[in-house]
Amino acid sequence: QVQLVESGGGSVQAGGSLRLSCIVSGYDDSTYCMGWFRQAPGKGREGVASIDSDGRIDYANSVKGRFTISEDNANNTLYLDMNNLKPEDTATYYCAADLTVCSSGEYSDYRSVGHWGQGTQVTVSS
């Protein structure tokens, strides 16, 4: 059974930073794509960042240069480092595994996600 457990959300002021973590268990595929999605109130779920087993990384244009996705395979953990946060980054962030469409931003597809975490709230105040 695949489980994704996120942590690290919270409330910060604009310009601040947060690190999201996602501990992954039960998912053991030599070829994979994982990522982070977010959903703001009244909006659809958007792919923010993705990484595949070959190390290819993709970001939504809205977060390029500010967010960094990384993984620690030894500890089965996926990270999202978020810097220079803006109020428009306010959303619930979800860890995602087993993406069949390994892209972010306008090319992301939440329907391609095989497994979701429970979500963690990020609130950025101005």
Side-chain angles (χ1 to χ4, degrees):
Q1 180 181 356
V2 178
Q3 285 191 315
L4 309 176
V5 180
E6 301 118 333
S7 61
S11 297
V12 296
Q13 290 191 322
S17 299
L18 284 172
R19 168 176 257 204
L20 304 184
S21 300
C22 174
I23 298 176
V24 183
S25 61
Y27 182 57
D28 186 13
D29 195 340
S30 59
T31 302
Y32 62 83
C33 177
M34 299 189 63
W36 293 92
F37 283 68
R38 68 184 179 186
Q39 188 165 17
K43 294 190 176 181
R45 196 166 292 194
E46 171 196 35
V48 173
S50 60
I51 185 169
D52 71 11
S53 49
D54 290 326
R56 284 184 290 257
I57 291 174
D58 191 32
Y59 294 103
N61 287 334
S62 58
V63 306
K64 279 182 181 176
R66 301 188 298 120
F67 289 13
T68 303
I69 188 172
S70 62
E71 56 185 353
D72 179 349
N73 290 326
N75 291 303
N76 297 320
T77 304
L78 185 71
Y79 298 103
L80 185 68
D81 288 295
M82 306 185 293
N83 297 310
N84 191 21
L85 282 160
K86 302 177 181 181
E88 51 263 43
D89 294 318
T90 295
T92 301
Y93 284 71
Y94 297 90
C95 179
D98 196 17
L99 279 66
T100 55
V101 177
C102 198
S103 296
S104 298
E106 60 180 317
Y107 298 109
S108 67
D109 187 351
Y110 71 91
R111 297 166 298 181
S112 79
V113 175
H115 306 282
W116 292 103
Q118 81 281 3
T120 185
Q121 179 66 35
V122 172
T123 302
V124 185
S125 58
S126 57

